[in-house]
Amino acid sequence: MELRWYHFAAWAAFVVFMFLMPEMVSKGTLRIFIFANFLAVFAISWDVLSGRTGYVSFGHPFLIGIGAYTTAILTKRFDVPVELSIPIAVIVTMIAGLLVVLPALRIKGSYFALITLAYMELIYQLVQVIRPDLTGGTRGMSGLPTLTRGAVNGYYMSLTLMVIVAFCVWLLMRTRIGTALSAIGMNEEAVKGSGLSVTRLKLFAFLLSALIAGLGGAFYVHYLGSIAPRALFDINFVFTIIVAALIGGASTTIGPIIGAFFLTFLLEYLRPYLPGAERYFIYGGVALLLYMYQPKGIYEIINQGWSKVRARS
Amino acid sequence: MSASLKITNLVKKFGGLTATNDLSFTVEPGQSVGLIGPNGAGKTTVFSLVMGEHRQTSGSIMLDGEELSKMTTPARIRRGVSRTYQVPRPFAEMSVAENIRVGLMPDSVFGMILKGPNRDRELELAMAVGFSENDLDRTPAELSMGDLRKLEMARTMATDPKVMLLDEVFAGLTVAEIAMISGLVQKMRSDGMTFLIVSHDLKALEPLVDTAIAINYGSMVAQGSYGDVMSSEAVRASYLGEA
Ligand SMILES: Nc1ncnc2c1ncn2[C@@H]1O[C@H](COP(=O)(O)OP(=O)(O)OP(=O)(O)O)[C@@H](O)[C@H]1O
Ligand SMILES: [Mg+2]
């Protein structure tokens, strides 16, 4: 729990290494890194809620989508500058998420997962029928303002976002709130029995998760410059987020980042051999094997490896 | 730091089953009362009702004259009641220190974030129930049943209660551990803590209580000094006869 100098040294080393990446790899690889950075943000967002408290969300694209659509519509249809539209998008995500998920916070287990999944489907349908002049309907929108030009700048932008989100969440989760949220995942009744208002804690986790999802979604559309509903509100996208958090290490901050990078590169390297959706079977298999080997994920495998090295020296 | 617990005409029905049947009794400030009865008599149900984990069908529960019945569990804990669980419920992937930490937390998100854990108090509570400093980093998986009960006790104490409800704290403990927990209860009694104690281990219970209440099928069958209750006809028939 205590912050030590080597924690900050590790963060600094990670940031420096990541910032030197454009010197070391091709533009093509850099573009893969960009997706990995965004996926890491989404996986962290998912983990704050689901990894910690055990309330599994299958609807994170719902939150990401609200953030993405809000800023897309504001900039494209109303000429709102990006500096304003992104904060608005984040707030709208938090509010919309709140209204919709508030009832779901009283529901436990698989029902919560189902309800969140239903919201994602619902918004996918709504986007197409309600005001397609604003949302672009089935075809989505293109020609949105982009924040960066070229792979290198896109990489730096996505990396900065990811590092800031990761560092803030990491700091926050090292405080007692992190302990309390994890405690909910382990035994919700006992948290109540310890005198803590579980609903308020879950609400906090949800709002934080929505904030990060909205932020990630908004930056993502302004990186892409376009938005396509079928790619966004897609069950494969949900699974990619969840699997990234799980195989990296749920209930940690570093785990989802590791998982996001691992998954993105795995999918990318499989692409030449399996161009279609079959790739998802492979990663499902890899995820399952990893999960059976170490349910706490890659982060725990690295941790244990590190302890062994230290014990030997 | 002490408070009274007054239960009046308490009724709890689980469907057709009356688990608590018109129960009335008072635990005076600083008093320690034993609650006895055979398996399924409704002892744990009384605790759940006091804590608000189950809502009573009717009747009233007052802590120091304040009605608890409409309050949430955390609100009741803030007022000063706290309980242990018959089946310990530790946070499985947390250390002993972190388990106690959850009990010590303020019920405020900002309070949790802005202030760090009170490690001295965590250690103090751990030591009070008989852990050593080395135990702080151990996880529940490494603990014996006795240790889990001690942890349960420490987390209950962490909420700073005025009235403590102990549910079978001696079950699964060694003789030495029973002596340790008894000593702890005695110490808290002398500091003025109010206790309601459920235990099947009557030998361990006797020295810890001022008076006793016997229930069966949710109803009171005897009340009074420990000796009187134990020798009453009704108790001998329903309780000792069975054991
Ligand atoms: N949540 C519940 N739903 C339905 N019935 C319940 C529930 N909780 C308890 N009961 C029933 O209420 C009765 C009293 O149970 P309770 O657990 O209070 O007994 P107890 O005196 O604590 O028993 P033990 O000594 O075995 O711990 C039992 O018949 C039990 O089956
Ligand atoms: Mg019981």
Side-chain angles (χ1 to χ4, degrees):
Chain A
M1 291 286 147
E2 256 103 0
L3 298 171
R4 302 226 189 269
W5 66 268
Y6 55 76
H7 290 139
F8 294 98
W11 274 102
F14 171 68
V15 170
V16 169
F17 174 76
M18 292 301 281
F19 267 84
L20 291 176
M21 196 62 75
E23 312 288 327
M24 298 183 273
V25 303
S26 71
K27 291 239 159 62
T29 311
L30 221 45
R31 288 190 195 281
I32 305 173
F33 268 108
I34 296 175
F35 284 102
N37 285 333
F38 279 111
L39 182 57
V41 171
F42 299 142
I44 291 171
S45 161
W46 183 86
D47 190 69
V48 161
L49 176 68
S50 306
R52 301 265 164 191
T53 69
Y55 279 75
V56 174
S57 156
F58 274 98
H60 253 61
F62 166 79
L63 297 171
I64 295 164
I66 287 181
Y69 266 101
T70 306
T71 186
I73 292 170
L74 285 175
T75 50
K76 174 99 179 167
R77 314 283 184 215
F78 301 99
D79 289 320
V80 177
V82 175
E83 304 83 58
L84 201 61
S85 71
I86 292 180
I88 294 176
V90 170
I91 293 168
V92 170
T93 308
M94 291 170 78
I95 294 172
L98 198 66
L99 293 179
V100 179
V101 179
L102 209 53
L105 276 175
R106 298 213 167 268
I107 299 168
K108 261 195 141 126
S110 30
Y111 290 106
F112 181 79
L114 279 178
I115 284 189
T116 52
L117 185 63
Y119 284 137
M120 182 179 83
E121 255 328 287
L122 185 71
I123 194 166
Y124 174 57
Q125 303 298 340
L126 286 181
V127 155
Q128 300 176 50
V129 290
I130 294 186
R131 300 292 304 267
D133 55 317
L134 284 183
T135 64
T138 324
R139 293 164 58 208
M141 279 179 269
S142 56
L144 303 170
T146 51
L147 291 166
T148 55
R149 248 169 235 288
V152 176
N153 288 333
Y155 172 75
Y156 282 135
M157 188 263 284
S158 64
L159 178 64
T160 308
L161 177 73
M162 188 273 276
V163 166
I164 290 176
V165 166
F167 186 70
C168 292
V169 168
W170 178 79
L171 267 184
L172 194 62
M173 290 304 148
R174 290 188 80 82
T175 70
R176 291 189 289 177
I177 190 90
T179 311
L181 294 182
S182 300
I184 293 179
M186 293 174 208
N187 194 335
E188 187 169 338
E189 293 305 312
V191 176
K192 261 189 227 162
S194 304
L196 304 181
S197 309
V198 174
T199 307
R200 192 190 302 155
L201 285 168
K202 288 191 288 193
L203 207 57
F204 175 82
F206 185 78
L207 282 176
L208 181 62
S209 181
L211 185 156
I212 299 166
L215 195 66
F219 272 91
Y220 192 48
V221 280
H222 291 302
Y223 161 72
L224 290 176
S226 62
I227 190 168
R230 191 64 287 186
L232 192 58
F233 304 119
D234 177 11
I235 191 81
N236 280 328
F237 184 36
V238 185
F239 278 119
T240 309
I241 295 172
I242 297 178
V243 171
L246 288 184
I247 66 171
S251 209
T252 69
T253 309
I254 316 300
I257 303 175
I258 300 174
F261 279 79
F262 179 84
L263 254 197
T264 310
F265 278 89
L266 179 69
L267 285 175
E268 211 43 51
Y269 285 125
L270 287 173
R271 193 190 290 276
Y273 313 105
L274 298 166
E278 314 88 76
R279 278 183 301 155
Y280 290 96
F281 282 107
I282 302 285
Y283 100 50
V286 170
L288 199 65
L289 282 178
L290 256 171
Y291 194 76
M292 278 157 57
Y293 174 67
Q294 174 52 272
K296 288 183 183 172
I298 303 174
Y299 181 65
E300 187 61 24
I301 296 175
I302 296 175
N303 248 345
Q304 285 177 354
W306 176 239
S307 326
K308 272 193 199 129
V309 170
R310 268 205 308 205
R312 224 169 273 165
S313 63
Chain B
M1 110 147 204
S2 43
S4 67
L5 179 67
K6 184 170 192 226
I7 283 168
T8 318
N9 302 117
L10 196 63
V11 176
K12 174 65 187 178
K13 293 198 168 117
F14 289 115
L17 181 108
T18 307
T20 310
N21 192 3
D22 199 22
L23 216 53
S24 301
F25 64 88
T26 304
V27 187
E28 299 294 345
Q31 209 192 10
S32 176
V33 174
L35 182 60
I36 62 171
N39 290 108
K43 305 176 298 286
T44 299
T45 302
V46 172
F47 282 14
S48 310
L49 294 175
V50 172
M51 297 310 297
E53 291 153 350
H54 287 138
R55 293 298 160 120
Q56 68 256 39
T57 308
S58 63
S60 117
I61 301 163
M62 302 223 273
L63 183 75
D64 255 352
E66 190 179 10
E67 181 62 53
L68 296 182
S69 303
K70 295 256 148 56
M71 294 181 194
T72 63
T73 303
R76 297 179 195 210
I77 292 173
R78 264 199 304 282
R79 297 297 190 291
V81 272
S82 197
R83 72 173 282 196
T84 68
Y85 292 88
Q86 195 166 355
V87 180
R89 312 198 280 184
F91 301 115
E93 282 165 47
M94 286 185 183
S95 66
V96 166
E98 285 171 316
N99 266 277
I100 298 173
R101 185 168 307 154
V102 175
L104 282 171
M105 282 188 204
D107 189 21
S108 126
V109 168
F110 288 108
M112 287 177 195
I113 295 171
L114 297 178
K115 255 188 93 205
N118 186 344
R119 279 166 207 287
D120 295 339
R121 183 85 183 118
E122 287 167 16
L123 180 62
E124 197 182 353
L125 283 164
M127 307 253 281
V129 296
F131 285 115
S132 72
E133 197 163 355
N134 300 328
D135 293 326
L136 286 180
D137 291 327
R138 294 169 74 199
T139 55
E142 307 164 339
L143 299 181
S144 66
M145 184 43 114
D147 285 342
L148 289 175
R149 293 221 179 273
K150 294 193 294 193
L151 182 57
E152 188 73 30
M153 191 77 183
R155 209 180 58 222
T156 305
M157 287 159 67
T159 63
D160 203 12
K162 297 177 193 147
V163 176
M164 278 178 80
L165 315 177
L166 307 184
D167 201 350
E168 299 289 1
V169 269
F170 299 119
L173 263 59
T174 63
V175 175
E177 285 169 333
I178 290 175
M180 225 274 317
I181 298 285
S182 297
L184 179 64
V185 172
Q186 293 293 23
K187 159 122 205 332
M188 287 194 278
R189 278 177 79 195
S190 62
D191 292 342
M193 179 73 72
T194 307
F195 281 104
L196 186 58
I197 307 176
V198 167
S199 176
H200 273 110
D201 186 339
L202 299 176
K203 228 171 73 204
L205 183 66
E206 183 172 5
L208 298 182
V209 298
D210 302 305
T211 62
I213 294 167
I215 61 172
N216 198 10
Y217 299 112
S219 306
M220 173 101 60
V221 292
Q223 181 176 25
S225 78
Y226 183 83
D228 289 351
V229 168
M230 291 317 289
S231 56
S232 84
E233 271 310 307
V235 171
R236 301 186 76 85
S238 72
Y239 190 53
L240 300 176
E242 186 182 293

